[in-house]
Each structure stands twice: as structure tokens, then as C-alpha cells.
Amino acid sequence: MWSYTFRRVLMTIPTLLLVITVCYLMLHATPGGPFDGERKVSAAVMANLQAKYHLDLPLWQQYLYYLKSLLQGDLGASFRYADWSVNDLVAKALPVSLTIGGGSLLISVLIGVLLGTVAALRQNSIVDYFVMLLGNVGSAFPSFVIGPVLILVFAIWLGWMPAGGWDGFDVRYMILPMALLTFINVSTIGRVMRGSLIEVLNSNFIRTARAKGLPLRTIVVRHALKPALLPVVSVIGPLAISSITSAVVTESVFSLPGLGKLIVNGASNRDYTLVLGLVVLVTVVAVLLNLLVDLAYALLDPKIRY
Amino acid sequence: MTHKTALRMVAASVALALAGVSGAALAAKVPAGVQLSPKQELVRNNGSETETLDPAIAESVGANNLTRDLFEGLTATDADGKVVPGVAETWKQKDPTTWVFNLRKNAKWSDGTPVTADDFVYGWQRFLDPKTASPYASTYGTFVLNGLEVAEGKKKPAELGIKALDKYTLEVKTPYPVAFLPDVVSNLNLGPVPKAAVEKYGKDWTKPGKMVSNGAFVLKDWQVNSKVVLEKNPQYWDAKNVQLTRVTYLPVEDGYADVKLFQSGENDWVYQLPPGTYDKYKAEFPKDIRNAPMLGLRYYSFNNKDPLLKDVRVRKALSMVIDRDILAKKITADGQVPAYGVIVRGTSGADVTTYDWASWPMAKRVEEARKLLAAAGVKPGTKIKFTYNTSEYHKKMAIFAASEWKTKLGLDTQLENMEFKVLLKKRHDGDFQIARNGWVADYNDATTFLTLVQCKSDQNDNFNCNPKAEELIKQGNASQDAAKRKQLLTQAAKLVMEDYPMLPLLQYTVPRLVKSYVGGYSLKNPMDRYRSKDLYIIKH
């Protein structure tokens, strides 16, 4: 398993290089540059700005320059936020996104698996209908509808929570955005868990276990849960990426200083270094999560060996 | 839309300059009878995360709101947009191109050291130094002797037309008479900079704990994309007239999120209402709604080089048939004022110009426009292309314009929307027929608007040129007689607009919600520049 892990980590390097190169070229091919504004700057000022950020060099030189600083762990200077480096900006946004996205994902897995299991065991019961309803509502209503409703009820009508913003790591500011992300994630995880467990419970080896006279509890915990979790583990990878690195809507609705907002603003401002830095980050996170998911398969399914 | 900065009231400033004003403190005057709240703290949304807190490179409205609170220039503008003394107590135009500013001796940096003429010399030289690469270098550099040459790297910063005659006397030379210089220097790009802090901390000098500033407030905390917190500066020379003890700037971009924060009491100041919600919020918050025209123009650029639009008759016809009254009252419905010229109401240095046909009944305008099109050989069914950046607001206006051109002239408009940066590129490259455009004044003088239609101006997206108007502007700027200058610039504005280089539509307003207990907010502030120094919290 260790050599497998090592090989996978090694594979990250060409993946990253490819992603950076493609992204780099796409950014530079997009019309409009970082210093274009409603007010056009004079030719002299444009030249000064380009020289300051090395944009006056030929593209391949800029690219090599970027790779070189990347190897030294430097993501470069932001073109838009002049007082900060991309490292600064990422270092400030990442903890926020990890707390909101990662925290809500953990809670969602616990609640989702629990609800999905209960629903599968009590098919067509009230709990089952509730889980199905939750699943459908969560999939049907976009977060830009649910978010403002949460704000209206809990911040404006009841006044229990702030309507948005962020203050250090004050818990009050985390509750509503985490509730929103959790709701959406639980709806997916619960639905997948329910379907998967029902399928497993109908398989031959479970029938054998029942025939042996094992109590339901033992059957579920010891035999059914592990294989039923496989599809759940598969969806956790993409859910984690969307909750942590690209929760753009949630961040916008609750005015959070997270990664999603940074990447969207970076792209519309043509802040090349910021976008590239975030793409590097998202790629690394995605590759690592996929690796974790693959390793988790081996734990859950004895047939899978690396 | 970088509405930034400075200048106002040319006539007033000229008068002040000639008289050599005395520098009485003119801040946060709380009217008699108003009871102040014991808690003087304000939360104002700033629309987006500031790109910097370094006054030399500040460009956006938001960044300038912050640097205006943190720093103070030679002059400042108050809540009504009037030029008032800043660090300079008095000033005088010694000859047409030389100004002398006398600095107050009690102005201090937040670390207690005095603000001296050298701090301004350093600040200006640093602002125009090509290494600083300030986006505004040419906008303001043009008003200082050798300013443009320094920005272009052709002359050394030391050759800039600014000199410390002694510790508290500053001499500024301009390349030509700039009557509104006291207004220009209220802008913080031209403010003082603490050399010691910049040299000690480099790029990090703008961070909390490191920044040294000379304004009414000091930097307490800066959480990127979350908030910037300022606190009252006890070292500020006019601290006794500063009421607020703490100002928190939020970077909320989403208009609806902004209003929700306002409703839940976490924000006292909505940056700008979401498009199309003015009437709704006006009814909902009658005490808090604030809306006033500002120095900004919404217009459409005609590409004067386009084969179809190079004919002035076509441009004129397209302009004539747009009913600005309906556009203002029914389509945008946010209190904006119809515009028929390049100069908007409230601008100093030139009068608002209009077209003869603006007062005609619409039927007559349409009839005339059709004749013009026929004479130009443009048949009904001809296709025109309109380009705008994706936004509900611009879309509504574009659909209205297209329907006016279709129903009144029979022209088929193809609407093409795109990302903002792509539109900018197309507009600057001349790759369009008609494109959405907008301008917010940098300073209160007609010249800021005239740059939109001047030959070879960086801001001219229409690619038009009227040499006669150009000559009038030149003559006007050379004139020292304010009345004569105004007459010449007005004449120039009228003349160039007779070429129909662009299609003026509306004068901007800034509809926003500000809690009724926020005092000192004036509706007569044409540049929409509110120093927190002038604001206070009324007991509520």
C-alpha cells in the first residue's frame, strides 16, 4: 500500500504541471488584462504596471519565472490586491474554507450515514419519507434560495445569528453557512447511503447471514455497513472539493472570506497569479482527496488490494 | 468605474486661493439640539475588498474611501463637497503656474512626529515614480510640472514640480494654469507618505501595527475579504471635532447580502442598492433611503470609425429617438436624471449643454430622425450591433434602446453581452458598433468629462476628434479668468456634442440605505465622497 501511495503522490507532479500549463495559457488567451478598467490607463502607466509584475517579458519567460518561484513555494504577488502576496491571501482564506467546508462535511457524513441507514432499514416509514423529502429538497432547491431563507428566519426575524460576515473564528458566524452546506451535503449522502444499503441488504451474503440467525444489528454493523459505504465514500471526494474550495454561492450569500470568492474574483479581475495559485491548491486537494478515497476503498472492501 | 477623488467648485477654490483662506476646522459639526449616541461606532459597506491601503496606488472608490479616512492631504472636501483646509492651513496662487501651501504646525503622524512639507514631497515623488506604477499617475501627474515625464521615466522624481521651501511651506509648480489645484490636491494619491515606515517595512507598511498615518483615523485591524477596522486617531490635529471612535468597513459585494446585513443591524450603510430595488426599499425604509445625483454619466459609445456609424446623421438619428424620460422614470427607476450632453449637472468649469430637439415632442424627433436616416441611405431593417457587459441593469437599458431603434426607426439591433473585461478590450480596440459605457468624475471639473470626447484621449472610446473643440479646450485651460474659461469649455462641450460622438443617457445616482441615526450624511455631495470625520451617530 505504501508504494502505491508513493506512486500516486508522485503522479501528482505531472498532473499539476499539466493543469498549471493549460490554466496559464487559458488565462493569457482570455481577452482583457489585469490592468484594464473602465478608465483606461495611459500607455506609460500600463508599461510601468506591466514591468512591475513582469508582464512585459515574453510569455514563455513569464511562465518559467512563475514555475521557478512556485518551486520555491512562492505563489507570486497578487495583481489586484497590491498589499498581499498570493501566499498571504490563500493562508487567510484556507482556514475559513476548511472550517466551514470541512466542518460541515464531517457533520454531514455522520448525519447522512445515520439517516440513510435508518431510512434503509425502515423503508416506507416516516423516517424514510423524511430522508427522501430532505434528499429531494436539498437537490431541488439551490443554495442561493435556501441561504437567504435561513438569513431571513434566523438573522432578520429571530435575530439569533448574524446575517453574514466573519469575525476571527467566532462560532456565531459559522452556524448558518455550515447549516446550509450541511443540509445540502446531507441530502446527497443520505440519499446515496439509503439506496446503497437497501441494495446490499438484498444481496446473497446478507441472506446467508440472516439464515445463520444473526441479529439484524450484527448483520448491519458487521456485514452490510462496510460495502454500503463504498458509494458514499465515492461521493465524499467531489463533495469535499465543492464544499471547501468552491462554495462560491455560500460564501457570497454569507459574505465569507473563503477560497471560492477569491477564485471567482481572481478570474474576473484577471489576477493571473491568484487564479493560478488557487488552481494549484485545488488540484493538490483534489488529488489528495481522490487518493484518500481510493485508500478508503481498500479498508472497506477486502477484495481491493493495492 | 473608478470614481475617485478630488476637485470641486473651481470658482470657489479660485476665490479661496486668491484670498488665501484661513484654516478653521470644519469637521463633524453637530447641529445644535442633536443628541449624540454614547456609542460612536459606524459600520459602512465599501462594496468590495480594497485593492490596497497605500494611498499612492489606491484606484477604486473603496480604496479611496479608506485612504481618505486614514490620511489627509493638503486640502480635503467636506460632506457638501466643498474644499476645506487639510494639512495646509492656507494657500495662494503666486503666479499662474506657482502655488504656495502653508502647512499647519500642529499636524502630526499617528506616531507623534510632525507632518512636514518633506512628507508631501516624498509622497508626490513616490506616487509618480514608475516603480510605484500607480494607475492614477497620468491622471494627476498632468497637473504637476514634469509629472508626466516622471511617470514615463523620462525625468527623475527629484525633478518634479514640488519643493519644500521650509519645514512648513510647500511650493507646487504646474505645467499650465490649473485653477482647481486646491481641489486636485485633496485627493490622497497626492497625499503625504511616512517615509520612515515605508523604508522600514517595505510593502508591509500598510498592515495593522505597522501603518503610520496622519488622518482622522488609524488602522486597527484588516481581515482580508472580511473587514477593515479604523479607530479614532488621538494624534490628529482636529481630533476634538471627530465624533466617531470606530469605523468598520465591510467588503460585501452582493447587493442583497448587503441589504440583509443592514436589516439585521450589522451594517449601517448599504454601499449601493441592487438594480431595480429602489422603489421597493424606498417604501420599506422611508427614513433610511438616501439618493442623490452624482458626477457620473451613463452613455453609449458610438464607434465613429464604423462604416455605418461614421455618418453623423446616423449617430444623430440613433440619439434622437431614445426617450430618456421613460428610461429614467420607468426602466431604471432609481432617480437618475436624463442627460443630453457630456457634462452633467453639478459639474464645475462648464455648463450643462443640451440638444435643440431634446424639448421637441417625440413624434417630431422620430420624423426628423427618419429623414436623417433616409438621407444617409440607411434603410429600415438595417442591422446594428450593441455590445454590453453582462448585468441585469445594462440588459434592461439595452433592450429599451433596441426597442426604441426598432419601433421608431425600424432598425434591427443585435444585443451581444459579455464579461466586463472582454467588453473593455473590445471597446478600447474599437471592435464594436455601439457599446455601453460610463464615467464617474475623478475631480469636479468639466475637463474630467471632456476627456471622453477629446482627440486621442485615453478615455475616448468613440474614436472621434473635433479639432475646433480641442482648440477651445486648450484656450480655456490657458485662461486665468474663471468665467472666460467656463464659457470656452461650455462652447467646446456644445461643439463636440454636435458631432454626436456618443449617446448620453443618464446622470448617475447612488441609491443606498444609510441608517437614519447616521448624522452628517449630506445629499449635496456630488463626488459621493464621505469622510468618516464628518459623520456621527445620533442618539437612537
Side-chain angles (χ1 to χ4, degrees), chain B residues 262-263 265 267-269 288 290 513-518:
Chain B
F262 181 85
Q263 286 175 290
N267 176 18
D268 302 317
W269 182 302
D288 306 317
R290 323 248 179 154
L513 293 166
V514 178
K515 294 278 188 201
S516 54
Y517 54 69
V518 176

Side-chain angles (χ1 to χ4, degrees), chain A residues 152-291:
Chain A
L152 187 68
V153 175
F154 294 101
I156 296 174
W157 288 349
L158 297 172
W160 292 350
M161 244 81 76
W166 186 257
D167 191 15
F169 278 81
D170 188 337
V171 180
R172 293 187 311 133
Y173 291 87
M174 302 177 188
I175 296 173
L176 286 185
M178 279 177 78
L180 171 61
L181 280 177
T182 304
F183 177 70
I184 289 174
N185 289 338
V186 162
S187 70
T188 309
I189 295 173
R191 202 155 28 93
V192 172
M193 183 66 199
R194 175 185 176 274
S196 161
L197 189 58
I198 288 174
E199 202 181 314
V200 171
L201 286 176
N202 286 331
S203 56
N204 292 337
F205 73 97
I206 297 293
R207 199 170 335 118
T208 310
R210 278 188 212 270
K212 279 201 308 188
L214 282 180
L216 180 67
R217 198 187 147 106
T218 316
I219 294 176
V220 172
V221 174
R222 192 170 300 162
H223 298 291
L225 213 51
K226 271 188 175 181
L229 276 173
L230 276 174
V232 174
V233 167
S234 308
V235 297
I236 287 177
L239 278 186
I241 293 170
S242 68
S243 308
I244 297 170
T245 61
S246 41
V248 183
V249 176
T250 309
E251 287 175 18
S252 170
V253 168
F254 293 102
S255 312
L256 296 176
L259 291 169
K261 192 166 163 185
L262 220 48
I263 203 165
V264 169
N265 283 352
S268 59
N269 287 330
R270 302 288 189 269
D271 196 338
Y272 300 149
T273 39
L274 179 58
V275 174
L276 279 170
L278 292 168
V279 166
V280 169
L281 179 78
V282 174
T283 312
V284 172
V285 170
V287 169
L288 288 181
L289 280 171
N290 283 334
L291 177 62

